[in-house]
Amino acid sequence: MKKNIAIVSGGDSGEFDISIQSGRVVQKYLNPDLYAVYPIVLKGLDWTYTDLNGKQLDVDKNDFSIFTGNKKVLFDAVFVAIHGTPGEDGKLQGYFDMLQIPYTSCDHITSALTFNKYFCKYYVGNFDVKIARSFCLTDPEKVEKDEILWDLALPVFVKPNKGGSSVGMSKVHEAGELRAALQLAFEEDEEVIVEEFIKGREITCGTMKYKGEIVAFPITEIISKKEYFDFEANITLHWPMRLSRHKFP
């Protein structure tokens, strides 16, 4: 019997469109012989599934189910393809934990910590990981540009504290660019980080739990055709793998 898999995408951030694209990619590669796939789009309180006839059906949030045709569909697992809130900050994970529905991604505590860049930086800093010097700003009306640039050396990155895909992020080379960069970041989040630029290579290594063991994916170097990995570079997904050490079983 096929497993019922919900792919949730959309969300409530500037990454909505990217998330929809991610959900479509996931659906494309899930084996239809093994899984009955249901793409579900979340936007605020509107959680919907569109069936093959184009009919839009609401998700019952009491048990995360849909009623399609003459049957109620419950899910064996959820693939979380949401970028940003509520899929990366632990909110959905906590909801699925309460319903005891398995899901992809880390748990709600890990999601909440890692989604908040400022908290995460200083958490890992306690383990002697070197972190860039930074400010976390919460009030766009009380930003002291001179104070920031007194303590931080240019260039700096200005970005939403809770967000991804480089949405709302700017690299500031000159003091006169800072105000506009802050305004752009505050449009995406109520908290903004100003962080010193560190020159170097950007390398990532994803992991997942597979049959009870932690498995590392191949190490990947992120190489952007732009000056840095900005929003445009994110959506083109130009991520050539350069440093492969592990093979997925």
Side-chain angles (χ1 to χ4, degrees):
M1 180 179 294
K2 292 183 181 180
K3 298 286 188 180
N4 291 332
I5 305 297
I7 302 174
V8 293
S9 60
D12 303 321
S13 74
E15 300 177 85
F16 181 91
D17 292 334
I18 296 176
S19 173
I20 295 295
Q21 294 179 37
S22 295
R24 290 170 180 164
V25 172
V26 172
Q27 184 176 5
K28 178 180 177 180
Y29 287 100
L30 284 179
N31 189 339
D33 295 329
L34 299 177
Y35 308 112
V37 178
Y38 296 83
I40 293 174
V41 176
L42 275 60
K43 184 67 173 178
L45 296 177
D46 295 327
W47 297 15
T48 59
Y49 163 71
T50 302
D51 66 17
L52 296 177
N53 297 317
K55 184 178 180 180
Q56 197 172 78
L57 307 172
D58 290 331
V59 175
D60 185 344
K61 300 183 186 71
N62 292 300
D63 57 3
F64 195 69
S65 66
I66 57 175
F67 193 86
T68 176
N70 59 354
K71 65 176 182 178
K72 181 175 183 176
V73 178
L74 295 167
F75 296 103
D76 298 289
V78 178
F79 196 110
V80 181
I82 289 181
H83 301 247
T85 188
E88 283 190 281
D89 55 4
K91 294 175 182 176
L92 271 185
Q93 289 85 344
Y95 166 73
F96 291 133
D97 282 341
M98 290 190 293
L99 294 177
Q100 298 183 331
I101 302 175
Y103 53 85
T104 59
S105 82
C106 53
D107 61 31
H108 68 284
I109 295 176
T110 306
S111 295
L113 173 63
T114 54
F115 193 64
N116 188 307
K117 297 180 179 67
Y118 194 73
F119 287 167
C120 188
K121 274 168 52 77
Y122 285 95
Y123 176 78
V124 299
N126 289 324
F127 299 95
D128 295 326
V129 176
K130 293 183 178 180
I131 58 176
R133 294 190 301 167
S134 63
F135 278 98
C136 184
L137 309 174
T138 58
D139 189 342
E141 302 299 325
K142 296 182 179 180
V143 173
E144 296 294 338
K145 182 182 71 173
D146 293 339
E147 180 181 347
I148 293 173
L149 297 182
W150 179 266
D151 287 340
L152 303 182
L154 291 169
V156 296
F157 277 103
V158 179
K159 52 192 173 184
N161 186 38
K162 301 182 292 295
S165 298
S166 300
V167 175
M169 185 169 80
S170 306
K171 186 177 182 180
V172 173
H173 297 273
E174 300 177 1
E177 302 170 348
L178 183 59
R179 182 66 62 182
L182 288 167
Q183 182 177 350
L184 178 65
F186 271 117
E187 289 175 0
E188 296 296 328
D189 191 13
E190 70 278 3
E191 297 177 352
V192 168
I193 286 186
V194 182
E195 185 176 60
E196 277 190 344
F197 167 68
I198 297 177
K199 185 176 181 179
R201 301 164 71 186
E202 185 172 359
I203 295 171
T204 184
C205 181
T207 62
M208 67 175 291
K209 185 174 287 187
Y210 180 74
K211 295 184 177 180
E213 296 185 4
I214 301 297
V215 177
F217 287 101
I219 295 175
T220 303
E221 181 175 7
I222 299 173
I223 302 174
S224 176
K225 292 182 178 179
K226 308 291 289 298
E227 182 185 2
Y228 64 95
F229 201 54
D230 62 6
F231 176 75
E232 183 179 344
N234 263 278
I235 62 176
T236 59
L237 297 178
H238 181 64
W239 291 15
M241 286 192 293
R242 293 294 180 85
L243 301 175
S244 181
R245 291 183 182 173
H246 303 287
K247 291 185 177 180
F248 187 67

